Amino acid sequence: MPGLFDEPSTSYVQVAVERGVDKFPEGLTYGVPERLGSLKIGQLVTVPLGRGNTPTQAWVIAASVEAPQLPKGKETKQVYEKDRDAIVLPEDLVGLATWMSQYYFSPIGPTLSTMLPGPVRSGTGLVTRQLVDLAENPPAYEKITSKQQGILDALALLPESERPIEPAKLMKLASVGSKGPIEKLIARKQLTCHHVTRVEATWFRQSVDAKVPSQLTEEQITAVDAISGTLGNYASHLLFGVTGSGKTEVYIRVIQQAIAEGGCALVLVPEISLTPQTAARLMGRFPDKRIAILHSALTKSQRHQQWSLVAEGKADIIIGARSAVFAPIPIGQLKLIVVDEEHDGSFKQDQSPRYHGRDIAIRRAWASHCPVVLGSATPSMESWWNAVTRKISTLHKLTKRAPGLVSPIIEIVDMKLERNAGTIGNTIMSRALERNIHETLAQNGQVLLLLNRRGFAPWIACASRTCKWMMKCDHCDASMVYHRRKPLEEAGFVRCHHCGLEQRVPKQCPDCAKKVIQLGAGTQRVEAILRETLQIPDEHIARLDSDTMKKSADLHSMLDAFGRGEIKVLLGTQMIAKGLDFPNVKLVGVIDADTAIDLPDFRAAERTYQLVSQVCGRCGRGEGSAKAIIQTYNPTAAAITLASKSAYEQFATEEIAFRCASQVPPATRMARFIVRESNFETASGRAESLALRLSLDAIGGVVVSPSAACVLPRIADKYRFDVTVTAPTSQELQKFLQNARKNVQAGRELAIDIDPISML
Ligand code: ADP
Ligand code: ZN
Ligand code: ZN
């Protein structure tokens, strides 16, 4: 029988299909034809799949495996092609993906693909260059010009390693002014011509002058020594220090030592807004080190370039957001991982694989035998629990702000009193806040205002007191948010923040034909109020949220302008709560500290504490006094009063007690199953039977909640129900999930979220 494949297989590999489901967790075996040479683990290949042998991309997850035993007459299929040689994930990442696919209930192929940035996959930014070299057996020519001879001589003098060479460089070496002689020599076959395709990467240089503290504080020294002492081994450290206590300085010192030991350090920061600042600071402090930046706001070719630099082992420091935890660092080079602002929610990916960058960092550090440092002024309850209760992580405290920094005076404003006082434009901006803004500006200070809500007004409602109409999205159980086209113009539209639907604002109430009004305030409304009430030039006020920041360049230029003092009042969503370091900020205002507090989520208090505390940390970084004003309808809530006193430890102790009493994370480990169906009955029925099925497997301390409609019961026409499962430990949860896997598969209709951080 003639074989389907002409060449014999020289070896066999196991592959995981990219879009594959969980059907073949151990992978599929394929033969490798001779022409492909040997394939490496972590390589991207194309294989024939299914009856039709559809070319399908897949990752090699095991090499040199045994030939499978097939029934007579059947042949093992062969790998069609390998992708560009450059696309190879280091073997340890393949191991990590295998673990992730188990832990997070996500198939291994797609998990591996998550690790590869899109532009690397698509080859964006690859440049093909022509290179020339001496021909091996050049035909003899009698007539040769002196320029041509010069070219040949220059090439002959070059060491092997520098050949082939670019024509332009060769012209320089031979002092020839035109490419003509080279072209002639190629035409006569005295020179050979090669084409090489590669990424041509340059390093970023955007450093700021970074002052080096002359002396570390006692607490910093203790932390640096303790962390450095674990270089070379796995260890987990929690660096808990109020904002401005010098955590970054601690990272810098430990990174120095990690590099000195011949390795590289990986630094993870939340979201894009922080990366440039942190990167610039590190570049300032490491002027002669090579720093790669991995984040989605770079151009596609830049992302490809930076990734390649890392893969080639050229970077000393790698800095990036969540997915940078998958930086393709060659095996053995990783000596330290830092996760800055480890409590930040952006480290968790909200689509499959729903991994947590911080937890992956810990796992990767463990596999790489290197320490991981989690830093925060407001550690997540999980990390606090690991350090204080489980003691699997070492706690280091920086209790004081660094020398030269002051703690801001914090004032809580009860908005109920403001509303009752009932004068001003009041329920949005209290008298105290208004007065302080004026005073700060008069003294040439800068102001930072936080409101975690986009748009102009979060609600459109009927003006009649007796009518209950409120505008909802047709496809989601959520209010439509009013957006103005321009801050000072009435014209606008409404948008659903869950499905993106945009509509015109109705002229009148559809139920009673009365006028419609806009209730509540988002950043646009605050901007309008500021522009109307503050007597300062328009360009001194700026708003920073994801509506104004379409490109990361916008963000940079706005932050730069704020840093130069050209913007006096910066207003924004949580984007401004993170890590910004501007010494002239003398006033911080939290317009509404309650945006998180009322959410039906057991982390509501934790989020509120973090938000208030982080934003207050943005001021008092320079000379003179500084103030933070927090507006709230819950002036006695522990999250707010303790945050205003910087009493994190007390907050954490109380919060952990609450989590233990209610048996939620970190006291337990959680998995959340979300059923999504277009039909309400189907959704509720499926969720109910899922809960039933899961509870059959619930042994030991595993608790399966009854199914219930989600807090957002419908998004984009899908009805949503969830079932949560808790277990005393991760091991018990994983054991339970292992069993559940037989009956339950994640997919379009069922999302499975392990260690969920959003309960909406
Ligand atoms: P964090 O990361 O905890 O917010 P930083 O490391 O950014 O704190 O430090 C805040 C400021 O204090 C920075 O400008 C830093 O240069 C400065 N700083 C840090 N450590 C010291 C020190 N030991 N002496 C003087 N200044 C310091
Ligand atoms: Zn919607
Ligand atoms: Zn009405």
Side-chain angles (χ1 to χ4, degrees), residues 673-694:
F673 295 74
I674 305 155
V675 175
R676 300 176 287 203
E677 292 281 352
S678 349
N679 178 286
F680 179 86
E681 272 77 29
T682 320
S684 108
R686 284 226 165 152
E688 204 169 312
S689 64
L690 174 68
L692 203 69
R693 224 174 326 141
L694 290 176

Side-chain angles (χ1 to χ4, degrees), residues 434-510:
E434 241 181 26
R435 196 177 56 242
N436 276 280
I437 293 176
H438 284 291
E439 284 171 14
T440 306
L441 292 177
Q443 289 157 19
N444 232 346
Q446 286 174 294
V447 180
L448 205 57
L449 295 174
L450 173 88
L451 176 57
N452 225 352
R453 202 185 287 127
R454 287 180 296 126
F456 187 84
W459 300 288
I460 295 276
C462 176
S464 157
R465 279 185 187 256
T466 50
C467 175
K468 294 227 163 4
W469 180 81
M470 188 171 267
M471 191 174 187
K472 292 251 168 111
C473 175
D474 292 340
H475 307 280
C476 310
D477 287 321
S479 315
M480 292 297 261
V481 178
Y482 179 65
H483 287 253
R484 277 187 175 181
R485 297 213 183 275
K486 296 221 173 90
L488 290 178
E489 285 170 24
E490 288 283 323
F493 58 93
V494 292
R495 179 189 291 155
C496 170
H497 283 190
H498 297 284
C499 72
L501 177 80
E502 285 184 8
Q503 285 181 332
R504 268 191 249 196
V505 194
K507 292 232 157 36
Q508 55 187 42
C509 170

Side-chain angles (χ1 to χ4, degrees), residues 664-676:
V664 290
T668 58
R669 297 295 281 254
M670 184 179 275
R672 184 173 179 232
F673 295 74
I674 305 155
V675 175
R676 300 176 287 203

Side-chain angles (χ1 to χ4, degrees), residues 189-204:
K189 301 203 166 31
Q190 288 187 302
L191 290 183
T192 53
C193 187
H194 310 249
H195 286 93
V196 179
T197 301
R198 60 176 181 221
V199 275
E200 300 192 336
T202 46
W203 298 95
F204 284 105

